[in-house]
Amino acid sequence: MADKRDYYEVLGLKKGASDDEIKKAFRKLAMKYHPDKNPGDKEAEEKFKEINEAYAVLSDPDQKSKYDRFGHAGVDPNSFAGGFGGAGGFGGFEDIFDMFSGAFGGGGGFGGFGGFGGQRRSNGPRKGNDIQKSLTIDFTEAAFGVKKHIKLTKYVKCKTCGGTGAAPGTSKKSCPKCGGTGEIRTQQRTPLGTFQSVSPCPDCNGTGEINESPCQDCGGTGKVRDTVNITVNIPAGVDTDSVIPIKGQGEPGINGGPDGDLYIVLNVRPHKLFERRGQDLWLEIPISFNQAALGDEIIVPTLEEKVSYKVPAGTQPGTVFRLRGKGIKNLRNSRKGDLYVKVSLEIPTKLNKKQKKAIEEMGKTVTDECYSKKSGFLDSIKEFFS
């Protein structure tokens, strides 16, 4: 336990971080170190496990509270602090009173609250592990939503034994060493009295059951790896790092517990024309000198259609105009963002003699006074040197 890094440090956060900060940091790091993105990288695999462990504690209000008070000891089932409240080895208030009974004369200490009436069974139903899967989609699929069919290789419940782990026609037996509790309790004498400690039963590995005839197909685990087809409904408006939760598509539950969940982490390919900024889209359109000077009606592409826009005469390079409601749909309220179009002035580079001559003639008639910025700049130079 002493070798473990601080959970907040693992997620790159300060102590007391909010639930949203914890969730955001987890998604970012989990995607970075996910095994699918780092095949064969043992260091990335270990970091991914460390990140998941930190998130499992800090995302649970009860576990987070204990960790904030006691550190790693608060969430360690075999530690003193971790036993309080039933989160670890101590199953209830009776266990706490019993733990101190030796220091106050043994027996039923604290008015008869001795014994293990509230003990926690470590072999009770537990939720299966959650799974995270990365999925890359196109820009337009993210904008309008899409239904994706993916293949996922994961652990599923063994069909031969129905997930029990026992061979067909047989069943597991209660462990004689721990009496089916999955836990072994030992006493330790200290200057404060006799303390109780709890550890997993070594004979049944904390399950409370002995499997004398394990299923041959799953080796007694109750689960096998298989490739399954899953449909993912992606709503309109998602972006890179958006997470789509799918309940019950994780790994099988333990001892009758519910299956874990599947979390799809999205990566959106960039678009050739549009740049996304939140719910808004940005687009740069080049126009000629004639169009900027005289004004013109130009065609503006949007994600759904082409629209016309009247560029006013005298439009300057870098001018931005907005088309309302032509952006991306908001996931929460379905309102669409806007499309911002930035005008850039393109100077011709391939001119023949006739075209060059025409521009020279235009330059003679369009004098400096026609340019507000240029004439102002020239006036400033004259004033500076006068």
Side-chain angles (χ1 to χ4, degrees):
M1 186 170 65
D3 296 330
K4 285 188 177 182
R5 283 204 298 155
D6 178 80
Y7 285 149
Y8 288 102
E9 179 187 338
V10 169
L11 298 180
L13 300 170
K14 293 183 179 180
K15 186 175 181 180
S18 66
D19 292 342
D20 287 341
E21 290 173 328
I22 292 170
K23 186 180 293 184
K24 185 176 180 180
F26 166 71
R27 289 175 179 172
K28 181 179 179 180
L29 291 171
M31 188 175 69
K32 179 179 179 181
Y33 293 108
H34 194 279
D36 287 351
K37 285 195 171 185
N38 303 274
D41 189 337
K42 292 295 182 182
E43 183 177 352
E45 182 179 342
E46 290 303 316
K47 285 187 177 182
F48 183 72
K49 292 178 181 178
E50 185 182 40
I51 291 163
N52 275 279
E53 180 182 334
Y55 180 69
V57 171
L58 298 183
S59 63
D60 184 291
D62 183 53
Q63 293 285 76
K64 182 174 181 287
S65 175
K66 289 169 185 167
Y67 181 76
D68 288 344
R69 292 177 62 194
F70 303 108
H72 289 296
V75 291
D76 180 8
N78 296 320
S79 71
F80 174 82
F84 284 92
F90 301 99
F93 287 108
E94 293 86 355
D95 290 341
I96 299 173
F97 291 133
D98 189 71
M99 179 186 69
F100 283 103
S101 65
F104 293 90
F110 288 93
F113 281 100
F116 304 105
Q119 70 183 19
R120 176 184 61 85
R121 294 177 61 89
S122 64
N123 62 334
R126 300 198 302 277
K127 182 182 177 182
N129 292 329
D130 294 335
I131 299 175
Q132 181 173 304
K133 172 73 174 177
S134 298
L135 178 62
T136 299
I137 60 176
D138 290 332
F139 193 94
T140 52
E141 291 176 331
F144 299 113
V146 68
K147 181 182 290 187
K148 287 285 188 179
H149 302 284
I150 65 172
K151 289 186 177 182
L152 180 66
T153 300
K154 63 170 186 171
Y155 281 107
V156 297
K157 186 182 294 184
C158 176
K159 295 180 180 179
T160 303
C161 64
T164 65
T170 67
S171 61
K172 296 180 180 180
K173 296 181 180 180
S174 178
C175 175
K177 186 176 184 67
C178 64
T181 64
E183 300 171 340
I184 299 296
R185 294 177 178 266
T186 57
Q187 292 186 342
Q188 182 179 5
R189 293 185 178 277
T190 73
L192 294 177
T194 302
F195 288 83
Q196 301 274 355
S197 64
V198 181
S199 60
C201 174
D203 285 12
C204 64
N205 294 319
T207 64
E209 296 178 313
I210 299 296
N211 190 3
E212 295 180 342
S213 302
C215 172
Q216 292 185 355
D217 287 353
C218 65
T221 63
K223 57 185 181 180
V224 295
R225 288 190 71 81
D226 194 11
T227 299
V228 297
N229 296 310
I230 297 175
T231 299
V232 184
N233 292 310
I234 300 174
V238 295
D239 201 356
T240 292
D241 291 342
S242 292
V243 178
I244 309 296
I246 305 178
K247 289 189 66 65
Q249 287 292 350
E251 292 191 353
I254 302 170
N255 295 328
D259 292 346
D261 301 325
L262 170 64
Y263 293 92
I264 303 294
V265 181
L266 298 178
N267 178 54
V268 180
R269 296 186 184 96
H271 198 277
K272 292 181 179 180
L273 294 177
F274 301 102
E275 177 190 349
R276 180 172 178 174
R277 301 180 187 177
Q279 309 313 126
D280 297 327
L281 294 176
W282 282 74
L283 173 67
E284 184 170 326
I285 295 183
I287 61 175
S288 67
F289 173 83
N290 291 349
Q291 289 175 308
L294 304 177
D296 193 12
E297 189 170 298
I298 63 173
I299 300 299
V300 178
T302 72
L303 284 177
E304 299 181 71
E305 58 185 350
K306 295 177 181 178
V307 298
S308 61
Y309 183 82
K310 177 65 177 179
V311 176
T315 294
Q316 300 299 307
T319 298
V320 176
F321 58 85
R322 177 172 65 174
L323 297 179
R324 294 182 180 273
K326 297 299 182 180
I328 303 289
K329 182 183 292 187
N330 190 299
L331 275 170
R332 296 180 180 177
N333 54 31
S334 295
R335 294 177 182 174
K336 286 189 175 182
D338 302 325
L339 171 61
Y340 291 87
V341 180
K342 182 179 179 181
V343 171
S344 63
L345 182 62
E346 184 176 10
I347 306 299
T349 56
K350 298 178 180 179
L351 298 172
N352 56 36
K353 291 182 179 181
K354 184 178 180 179
Q355 291 168 333
K356 290 179 181 179
K357 185 66 176 178
I359 293 177
E360 288 175 357
E361 292 299 324
M362 184 193 73
K364 293 176 182 179
T365 57
V366 181
T367 60
D368 292 342
E369 288 74 17
C370 297
Y371 298 92
S372 58
K373 289 184 179 180
K374 185 176 181 181
S375 61
F377 178 73
L378 292 174
D379 289 341
S380 297
I381 292 178
K382 291 178 183 178
E383 182 180 346
F384 181 76
F385 286 103
S386 62

